[in-house]
Amino acid sequence: MKRAESPKGTLTSTHWGTYRVQTENGRVAALTGFEEDTDPSPIGQGLVDTVDDALRIRRPMVRRGWLERGPGSADGGRGRDAFVEVSWPKAIELVAGELDRVRSRYGNEAIYGGSYGWSSAGRFHHAQSQLKRFLTTIGGYTASVNTYSYAAAEVTLPHVLGDFMPFINGATSWDVIRDHTELFVAFGGVPIKNGQITNGGVGRHVQRQGILAAAENGVRFINVSPVRSDLPDGASNEWLAIRPGADVALLLAIAHTLDVNGLADREFLERYTVGFERFLPYLRGEVDGVPKNAAWAEARTGIPASRIRALASAMAHHRTMISVSWSLTRQDNGEQPYWAAIAVAAMLGQIGTPGGGIGFGYSAMNAIGDHYRGIPCAALPQGQNPVRRFIPVARITDMLLHPGAEFEYNGMTGTYPDIRLIYWAGGNPFHHHQDLVRMRRAWQKPDTIIVNEWCWNPQARHADIVLPANTTLERNDIAASTREPYLIYMQQAIESVGESRSDYDIFTDLAEALGAREAFTEGRDESAWLAHLYAETRRRSAMNGIELPDFERFKEQGWFRTETPDQPKIMMRAFREDPARNPLKTPSGRIEIFSETVAGYGYEECPGYPFWKEPQEWLGADDARHPLHLISNQPATKLHSQLDHGSHSRSAKINGREPVMIHPYDAALRDISEGSLVRLFNDRGSCLGSAVISDAVRPGVLQISTGAWYDPPEDEGLDISCLHGNPNVLTPDHGTSRLAQGPSALSCLVDVELYSGPAVSVKAFSPPEIRSQGEQ
């Protein structure tokens, strides 16, 4: 095991990298890349200029309307009202009192604690874990399930492969791909920008090196995406500019070509799968009279039938890795791309071979495809939530607008609770969620919204009570992840800014006010919890053959790294070698191309096998009013919306707004030129952006990254929903299907025009009006 030396500067770790922190006169002066990281992310530089800037929340704040009138529907006040500074004792009194009122009058299910977001990389000061542990100790809360990243896959893969996370984390490693793969077909691309990130922290970035090394060794990459940059230039041998939302049609046509040309591996299908014979009649058109052949797919994908047939043949005659991006799940019928890709991989018969088979989300995170030995780290226990009510994570607006209504999800029927109080920590729903105009309206309904936050992002602006949290630079923690070989001691670099406090200290005081201090703290302060969590991590590691130093030695060293495993990392190798001794966790123990379980749910849109259903919004709909397809993908300069106000993120904006990539043909039709201020719009909303004219996007497609802080205009009569360029004012808010109810953000039609309205400035990076308690 490699142990660290101690260069000058304390260590901190974030989801986008580990850095050395230099301070001067008690302030952060600079961040430099961790000595183990040869490709550090520049995102971290945003911490330097934001940790104590004008947007930092330094004292507890209460929305003026809530302070004057008390809890109740905000009638539009959230996001518009001024805030009033209060003391910490007053803030604790208000929050504890409101939590007690709601749980006593309406029950704990009226508290929504499904707080979603990535928050800190530290295992102890992880805001969601702190919040959920606290709420559990005071009687529980309504929770959420699944993620915005890949909810449709989280539900589908267990039906088809028997599990989820082992297949996400267990992707065949880049060194095996480099040495054995001949053809790498990337549905949704392999975007390097996303690979800057891993939840729980990044010690060393590997994606760029892995992809380029494979390309240099002769691996042929094919980028199947509407956006050319979804593969780096050095690796992109070929770009198939598919029509957005049509990946399933292409995969079905590949499967059909393999079938009719006798290229399917029948021996593999017989030994390792079940249900192929139930899928085949649909594929051949015996069910609906429509063979899913290459000509059929050409009309849907925009890819010539001859090219589809050639691709299928190449995949059958070469060692082929199929990669499906996480983004493919975030669209109408997002359950189907993964299912169809698994079916094609099974027909090729290469699953479990070196460099062949399938992978889910290469470069969606830094860890996917890395060859590492993860550390079985301990995290803050959240306890058992006594409330059994939950919602699918992306159905929060439906829950707020329609309490008592039923929803279907993964074979069950649930009922939306009547939420009176929302408590959020470590996230920003005004980034993650869709149709923000609708959500903002729903956000006015609860009696009270409480937020722990460090800066005036849109979530803080739309709260009633804001408790100032400190940052990773202002506390001690341990960064660790089962997806990383690194363990990092995150040493406090500066004192807490203003009166900000750690989430743990905030919840400790709230727990004391509600009679639950001992249950929440177990008698430990921060240092005792860190020692306890490290001891548990050390115990688990020893059971797995990893010898960690004692805690004091670890703190002195600053970091620890496990050795690279000797055995190559090949997904599903053991299953292929002996499916009887290493069965999958499906009912049959094999890959379920047809699932009796899903078929039994009776969902027309999910009949139990890979299935094509036209998206509600896509270019095949021929919508004359909104003829362009919007791709709202992950940003390159930040994680989600974190540090959007930082220097690195701001440097990529054009005239202070998000860039919008437009094909030259579509721009010319609208007299749009490079750098033009443009308005994107549909029936849900509109936003401003700055035009970038490029043929790196397919004709008929616009691309704008997510993450711009939501900035609705003060003038309600202005026909703009966001002045800054947040595309989620445009995206639809409905579930992928009844199976997973995931987000469908990428099934979105819009139009774009030159903006000709009155001059408007971006206010996202200006704090709200703040008054002292005597000025209210």
Side-chain angles (χ1 to χ4, degrees), residues 42-239:
I43 293 175
Q45 300 306 316
L47 274 172
V48 177
D49 49 275
T50 59
V51 70
D52 60 355
D53 71 356
L55 286 167
R56 186 65 193 264
I57 304 171
R58 289 170 163 78
R59 296 172 185 83
M61 300 282 177
V62 182
R63 184 173 63 84
R64 185 178 61 180
W66 193 95
L67 194 61
E68 293 174 349
R69 294 184 292 275
S73 175
D75 295 326
R78 293 187 183 118
R80 296 191 182 280
D81 278 357
F83 284 85
V84 179
E85 294 180 351
V86 298
S87 68
W88 267 112
K90 180 64 173 178
I92 295 297
E93 175 190 336
L94 291 173
V95 173
E98 183 60 2
L99 285 165
D100 194 44
R101 181 189 74 86
V102 170
R103 68 176 179 173
S104 299
R105 183 174 299 181
Y106 304 105
N108 280 74
E109 71 174 26
I111 299 172
Y112 182 67
S115 180
Y116 182 87
W118 280 40
S119 61
S120 167
R123 291 302 82 201
F124 176 62
H125 291 294
H126 182 257
Q128 287 182 55
S129 298
Q130 293 280 349
L131 171 63
K132 292 173 183 179
R133 178 181 174 87
F134 163 69
L135 292 177
T136 293
T137 64
I138 65 166
Y141 59 97
T142 292
S144 63
V145 296
N146 303 136
T147 67
Y148 282 89
S149 296
Y150 42 39
E154 289 177 276
V155 175
T156 303
L157 285 188
H159 290 299
V160 183
L161 296 180
D163 213 332
F164 175 68
M165 200 56 72
F167 297 108
I168 297 294
N169 292 342
T172 297
S173 57
W174 282 116
D175 54 344
V176 174
I177 291 169
R178 177 196 64 207
D179 295 339
H180 297 280
T181 302
E182 296 174 297
L183 179 61
F184 190 106
V185 185
F187 291 86
V190 184
I192 288 289
K193 60 182 175 59
N194 297 8
Q196 298 177 89
I197 310 299
T198 289
N199 61 332
V202 174
R204 175 185 59 198
H205 289 88
V206 301
Q207 290 297 322
R208 187 188 314 275
Q209 176 185 351
I211 295 170
L212 296 181
E216 290 169 4
N217 205 42
V219 178
R220 177 188 172 198
F221 284 84
I222 298 179
N223 177 25
V224 184
S225 169
V227 182
R228 186 169 61 207
S229 61
D230 276 344
L231 260 177
D233 290 339
S236 188
N237 297 82
E238 186 173 349
W239 177 31

Side-chain angles (χ1 to χ4, degrees), residues 698-745:
R698 186 188 192 277
V701 172
L702 303 179
Q703 180 272 320
I704 181 171
S705 295
T706 58
W709 282 6
Y710 176 49
D711 190 18
E714 295 176 358
D715 180 358
E716 296 185 10
L718 195 63
D719 191 18
I720 305 171
S721 308
C722 179
L723 303 174
H724 191 198
N726 187 321
N728 274 329
V729 299
L730 302 159
T731 52
D733 182 14
H734 58 252
T736 50
S737 80
R738 287 175 288 178
L739 182 61
Q741 293 284 6
S744 293

Side-chain angles (χ1 to χ4, degrees), residues 437-508:
V437 176
R438 179 174 181 256
M439 180 182 154
R440 193 182 193 214
R441 185 169 69 251
W443 215 246
Q444 307 297 322
K445 291 195 65 177
D447 292 351
T448 301
I449 296 176
I450 304 164
V451 169
N452 292 6
E453 190 53 78
W454 71 282
C455 62
W456 284 112
N457 64 17
Q459 168 69 334
R461 292 169 183 268
H462 285 81
D464 297 314
I465 303 175
V466 183
L467 303 182
N470 60 17
T471 71
T472 57
L473 298 175
E474 300 155 64
R475 59 202 183 209
N476 298 305
D477 211 335
I478 299 170
S481 170
T482 55
R483 287 172 160 164
E484 277 280 321
Y486 286 89
L487 199 64
I488 306 291
Y489 184 65
M490 302 164 61
Q491 185 177 351
Q492 181 177 347
I494 59 173
E495 294 298 318
S496 291
V497 172
E499 297 178 17
S500 65
R501 305 171 66 191
S502 72
D503 293 296
Y504 182 68
D505 287 343
I506 293 170
F507 290 128
T508 294

